[in-house]
Amino acid sequence: MMQFLPVTMKEMQNRGISQPDFVYVCGDAYVDHPSFGMAIITRLLEHYGYSVGIIAQPDWKKKESVCVFGEPRLGFLVSAGNMDSMVNHYTVSKKHRREDSYSPGGKMGLRPDRAVIVYGNLIRQTYKHTPIIIGGIEASLRRLAHYDYWSDSLKRSVLLDSGADLISYGMGERSILEIAEALNRGEDISTLHHIAGTVYHTKEAPAGGIILPSYEEMCADKRKYAESFQVQYENMEAFSGKVLAESYGNRGYVVQNPPSKPLSQKEMDEVYDLPYMRTYHPMYEKLGKIPAIEEIKFSITSNRGCFGGCNFCALAFHQGRIVQTRSHESILKEAVEYTKESDFKGYIHDVGGPTADFRQPACEKQLKKGVCTNRQCLFPKPCKNLNADHEDYLELLEKLRKIPNVKKVFIRSGIRFDYVEADKDSRFLEELAKYHVSGQLRVAPEHVSDRVLSYMGKPEHQVYQKFLADFEKANKKTGKKQYVVPYFMSSHPGCTLKDAVKLAEYVRDMGFMPEQVQDFYPTPSTMSTCMYYTGIDPRTKKEVYIPTNPHEKAMQRALIQYKNPQNRELVKEALIKAGRTDLIGWEHKCLIKEGKKTVQAEKDFKKSTVQRKKKTIRNVHKRKGK
C-alpha cells in the first residue's frame, strides 16, 4: 500500500506528512499506470518533491467526500478522468451506458455528469479560497465556449462553471510543474497569467492577444462560432500560437495562453520511467477490479501527438500535432519489466500511441518552427516535406521481438494506411504482415465517398484500395492469409443517404458485414462537431449538409449493416428515399431481397447463398489447416 500514493489521511501521516501539497480529485478509479493522466501528473509532482493525496471517485452528493485530506497546502487538482464524463455515460443516441471500464467491477454511476464542474463546485463549497486547477480531457476540450451535444447548446468555458482558478490543458506535465513552482514560491494563483498551456479568467482583455467573438455573439449567430473555432484551430500550436481572449460581458474574459511546447525525448523518458505500480490500487480487488487495465496492462506507449488531422478527432486540440517519442532504451526497459510479471503470457498487446507508426515529427522543421497553421501533413495529399519513414519503428519492433520470453508483439493502436503508402520502402508492410498481425489488421478508412472523406479530413478512397492491394501482396510474400477489418462511420457531417448507400454497396462487395459501426459522435472541440452544430465548414465558410434527424441517422447506420434482419425496414426506407430501388429485388446486387419472383428465381438465389456459405466454410477450414 505504501508504494501507491496515499488515498487516506492515515496513509499520508504514515509518510510523516500532516498536510499534502496537492489533493488530486478524479472521476476514475485510482490506477497507477502511465496510460492514466492522473498517474502521470501525480507521480511527476511526487518526483519533484511535492506530496499528493488521491481522492478517486468521491461521492459528489456529500461535500465531506473531498475533505479526506483537509485543505492542501498548494491546491486541488481536478479531472473527470481518462474520458469526458458525458461520453463515458452516454451513447451517441444519448442512452445510458451499462458499464464504466474505469470504475471497480465496471459499475456505472460512480462519477457525476459533467464531473469537472461538479467536483470543482463541491470543493469550492468548503474551501472558498484554495486554488483549484482543472485538467484532463474534459476540461481541455471545454476550455473555451463549446458546443455541448447532450444539451444541444453552446456552453461557456468550463472554467467559469467549475469555480476553478486555472485550466491546465493538453498534456499538462510542463504547465503543472510551473504552477506548482509558482504556488510554492507564494505567488497568488490569480496572478498566474503567463504559463503556457493554461487558461485563466480576468476582467481586462490581455494586451496583444486575439479577441474572439464574444460568447453572446456566438450564441446569437452560429457563423460567429465557426469563425471563432477556425481561429482557435489556427492557434493551437506551441511555436506560433497567439493568446486568445473570449469575452463574457460583465464577467470579463476567459484567456487561453498558447499550448505548452512538446516534450523532448529525454523528458518523455523521464515521464514514463517514473515508479508506477502499473496496476489498480489494491482496495479495488474485492470490488471487481478495474476493467480498463486489461486493455493496457501489457501495452507500451511509444509516442504521443498526431499529425493525421482527422476532423472528428480532438487529439490535435489535446496532445497536439507534433509527434513526441520515447527512446528505444526506455521502451525496452518497460518491456523487460513486463516479462517478470507472473501473469505475462509472452504477448505485448501494443506498441504505439494515437497512431502507432508515427515515430518522428512529420518534417524536420516542426521541432524548431512548429506545424503549419494553414495546411495538413497528410490531407488532402501527403505534404512534399513529409518524412514518411518507418525505419526507427522497425528497429524498435525488432528489438522487442528479441527480448527473452516475448512471443509476439502486436500493433493494435492503429496505423495510418496513407502514411504507410507514402513510405517508398515496402519493408514495414511486409514485417507488419509477418510479425505483428494475428489474422486481422484493423484500420479506419471511415467511408468510401471522397466528398464525405474530405469533410472528415481523410485521404481519398483510392488510397485505401491501394493499401489493401499492397497488404495482400505482403501477405503472399510472407505466406500468410490475413485480412483487413475496416472501421466505418455513419452520419458524419456532409454524408447524405446517397453516400450511405454507396458505402453499403461497398460493404456488399467486401463479402462480410462490419461488426463495429460508429455513428458520428459530436464531442467538444473537433472540427466535425463545429460543422455539426453550425452547418458550416469552418475552413471554407460554406454550408454543409448535416444528418441530425435521429431517424435518418438510424437509416445510415442500418445501411452499413444491411444484412441484419432487424435493419430490414430501415434499409428499405433508406433505399426508397435515396432513389435506389434498383437495390431492392432478387438480383445479386440487391441489398433487400423482395418483390415479384418466380419459383426458379427463389431457388437460384437460395442455391447461390448456400454455395457462398460452403465456399466461406472451406476457406475458414483451409486457414485453420483442416
Side-chain angles (χ1 to χ4, degrees):
M1 296 286 280
M2 288 292 287
Q3 292 177 293
F4 286 85
L5 293 175
V7 297
T8 67
M9 193 60 199
K10 183 178 180 181
E11 291 178 12
M12 184 70 73
Q13 290 169 345
N14 288 342
R15 289 167 168 77
I17 301 167
S18 59
Q19 182 187 30
D21 294 320
F22 290 99
V23 171
Y24 197 113
V25 180
C26 189
D28 286 342
Y30 177 25
V31 181
D32 192 30
H33 189 286
S35 291
F36 287 68
M38 169 171 52
I40 287 179
I41 295 301
T42 54
R43 285 295 186 184
L44 189 66
L45 286 168
E46 178 193 46
H47 179 71
Y48 279 86
Y50 299 98
S51 57
V52 187
I54 303 284
I55 302 178
Q57 299 187 317
D59 184 346
W60 71 93
K61 298 169 187 175
K62 299 177 181 178
K63 63 180 183 181
E64 57 268 25
S65 65
V66 295
C67 302
V68 172
F69 298 97
E71 183 179 22
R73 184 174 70 90
L74 299 178
F76 282 94
L77 308 175
V78 177
S79 169
N82 270 17
M83 289 179 68
D84 184 291
S85 59
M86 300 302 285
V87 178
N88 179 276
H89 285 174
Y90 300 97
T91 67
V92 66
S93 57
K94 301 182 182 179
K95 295 179 180 178
H96 279 277
R97 298 190 193 273
R98 296 179 180 178
E99 294 184 358
D100 180 354
S101 295
Y102 296 93
S103 293
K107 185 178 179 180
M108 180 55 76
L110 297 183
R111 83 184 82 210
D113 286 356
R114 311 186 196 285
V116 165
I117 293 174
V118 174
Y119 292 152
N121 283 285
L122 194 66
I123 294 166
R124 192 56 81 206
Q125 288 175 30
T126 302
Y127 304 102
K128 304 296 183 184
H129 306 293
T130 309
I132 301 175
I133 302 99
I134 59 176
I137 193 80
E138 181 165 301
S140 291
L141 302 184
R142 297 168 183 266
R143 58 189 185 255
L144 294 175
H146 55 279
Y147 172 66
D148 183 81
Y149 172 67
W150 303 273
S151 64
D152 191 25
S153 64
L154 192 71
K155 286 193 173 290
R156 60 187 192 170
S157 167
V158 72
L159 184 66
L160 299 178
D161 292 332
S162 64
D165 298 284
L166 280 179
I167 298 176
S168 167
Y169 71 86
M171 306 301 284
E173 293 97 343
R174 288 193 188 282
S175 59
I176 203 64
L177 287 178
E178 282 196 61
I179 293 168
E181 289 165 7
L183 293 175
N184 196 41
R185 289 193 300 266
E187 295 183 38
D188 193 294
I189 196 164
S190 65
T191 67
L192 302 186
H193 295 172
H194 61 283
I195 299 173
T198 63
V199 176
Y200 63 91
H201 179 218
T202 181
K203 289 294 183 182
E204 303 295 331
I210 297 175
I211 306 299
L212 299 171
S214 70
Y215 177 68
E216 191 174 84
E217 287 177 309
M218 290 187 286
C219 287
D221 184 356
K222 290 181 178 180
R223 187 170 288 273
K224 289 290 185 183
Y225 177 67
E227 292 172 5
S228 176
F229 185 87
Q230 185 62 22
V231 174
Q232 293 174 46
Y233 195 82
E234 291 169 355
N235 285 277
M236 60 183 183
E237 209 285 306
F239 293 85
S240 61
K242 304 291 192 299
V243 173
L244 306 179
E246 191 172 71
S247 172
Y248 286 87
N250 59 11
R251 289 293 305 271
Y253 293 83
V254 170
V255 182
Q256 173 185 299
N257 286 326
S260 298
K261 284 188 168 56
L263 299 183
S264 66
Q265 189 167 88
K266 182 180 178 181
E267 290 168 325
M268 277 278 284
D269 287 353
E270 179 184 89
V271 166
Y272 285 90
D273 289 347
L274 293 170
Y276 305 101
M277 296 302 293
R278 300 188 180 278
T279 188
Y280 52 80
H281 192 281
M283 63 184 171
Y284 302 121
E285 196 66 40
K286 293 181 181 179
L287 297 174
K289 307 179 181 180
I290 309 301
I293 195 69
E294 297 304 319
E295 290 295 319
I296 49 87
K297 186 172 183 182
F298 296 120
S299 295
I300 299 174
T301 299
S302 73
N303 63 61
R304 68 167 59 157
C306 182
F307 53 79
C310 298
N311 287 336
F312 48 80
C313 177
L315 267 166
F317 261 78
H318 188 62
Q319 290 193 6
R321 289 168 57 193
I322 297 179
V323 171
Q324 302 141 72
T325 61
R326 293 168 63 188
S327 70
H328 288 199
E329 292 73 23
S330 174
I331 291 170
L332 293 170
K333 178 183 174 183
E334 182 176 345
V336 169
E337 289 301 312
Y338 284 165
T339 65
K340 299 174 184 177
E341 297 283 341
S342 59
D343 55 344
F344 181 70
K345 307 299 182 184
Y347 302 99
I348 294 175
H349 297 154
D350 188 29
V351 183
T355 301
D357 55 327
F358 288 177
R359 276 288 299 173
Q360 64 271 324
C363 67
E364 293 181 3
K365 83 173 187 68
Q366 286 190 348
L367 287 177
K368 295 179 180 179
K369 298 181 179 180
V371 298
C372 300
T373 59
N374 59 350
R375 66 181 65 181
Q376 294 286 345
C377 304
L378 285 167
F379 175 83
K381 304 284 186 183
C383 175
K384 64 180 182 180
N385 296 320
L386 177 70
N387 180 23
D389 185 357
H390 289 83
E391 186 63 33
D392 179 75
Y393 195 36
L394 284 168
E395 288 179 10
L396 172 62
L397 292 171
E398 184 178 5
K399 290 175 184 177
L400 288 166
R401 293 197 303 267
K402 291 180 178 179
I403 294 175
N405 299 321
V406 170
K407 298 176 183 176
K408 188 88 171 180
V409 179
F410 293 107
I411 300 173
R412 289 179 174 165
S413 55
I415 61 170
R416 280 290 297 226
F417 58 84
D418 49 347
Y419 184 68
V420 172
E421 288 299 309
D423 189 348
K424 296 178 181 179
D425 188 346
S426 63
R427 191 160 64 93
F428 172 71
L429 202 53
E430 292 168 7
E431 294 213 1
L432 176 72
K434 186 175 182 179
Y435 296 113
H436 304 292
V437 179
S438 181
Q440 296 180 340
L441 175 67
R442 300 182 184 275
V443 294
E446 306 296 356
H447 217 280
V448 299
S449 164
D450 286 344
R451 195 175 57 81
V452 177
L453 289 167
S454 71
Y455 287 120
M456 291 179 165
K458 299 286 286 186
E460 293 178 345
H461 181 55
Q462 64 178 4
V463 180
Y464 175 64
Q465 291 297 100
K466 177 71 164 49
F467 172 79
L468 291 180
D470 289 343
F471 184 66
E472 182 63 23
K473 287 179 187 175
N475 277 307
K476 286 181 179 178
K477 195 168 184 178
T478 57
K480 292 190 174 185
K481 190 69 176 176
Q482 300 181 121
Y483 302 90
V484 170
V485 178
Y487 285 98
F488 293 118
M489 183 184 294
S490 61
S491 304
H492 188 276
C495 185
T496 65
L497 272 179
K498 287 186 177 181
D499 294 313
V501 171
K502 185 175 183 179
L503 177 54
E505 290 183 283
Y506 181 79
V507 169
R508 174 201 63 202
D509 297 340
M510 285 195 317
F512 66 91
M513 188 172 68
E515 293 179 6
Q516 292 185 322
V517 178
Q518 175 65 56
D519 273 352
F520 168 65
Y521 202 152
T523 55
S525 294
T526 72
M527 181 77 73
S528 299
T529 297
C530 182
M531 293 183 203
Y532 177 90
Y533 171 59
T534 64
I536 298 167
D537 185 337
R539 301 167 298 180
T540 63
K541 306 301 185 291
K542 293 181 180 180
E543 292 187 0
V544 183
Y545 173 76
I546 309 295
T548 57
N549 183 285
H551 190 65
E552 182 186 347
K553 288 165 69 72
M555 285 192 287
Q556 288 207 22
R557 181 184 176 92
L559 278 164
I560 303 176
Q561 296 180 314
Y562 69 89
K563 289 185 179 180
N564 187 334
Q566 294 178 345
N567 291 336
R568 178 183 172 82
E569 293 306 314
L570 280 172
V571 173
K572 182 179 178 181
E573 182 183 353
L575 293 174
I576 293 171
K577 285 192 173 184
R580 294 299 308 274
T581 53
D582 59 303
L583 296 177
I584 302 173
W586 284 92
E587 294 182 44
H588 182 67
K589 70 173 184 177
C590 292
L591 304 182
I592 294 291
K593 304 303 176 185
E594 184 180 279
K596 187 177 180 180
K597 58 187 184 295
T598 64
V599 173
Q600 186 59 43
E602 186 171 7
K603 286 181 179 178
D604 290 344
F605 173 70
K606 288 181 178 178
K607 183 178 179 181
S608 65
T609 302
V610 170
Q611 288 174 340
R612 285 198 301 273
K613 286 183 178 179
K614 286 181 177 180
K615 185 177 179 180
T616 301
I617 292 170
R618 286 198 301 270
N619 288 338
V620 170
H621 286 174
K622 186 177 179 180
R623 290 200 303 273
K624 292 182 177 179
K626 293 183 179 180

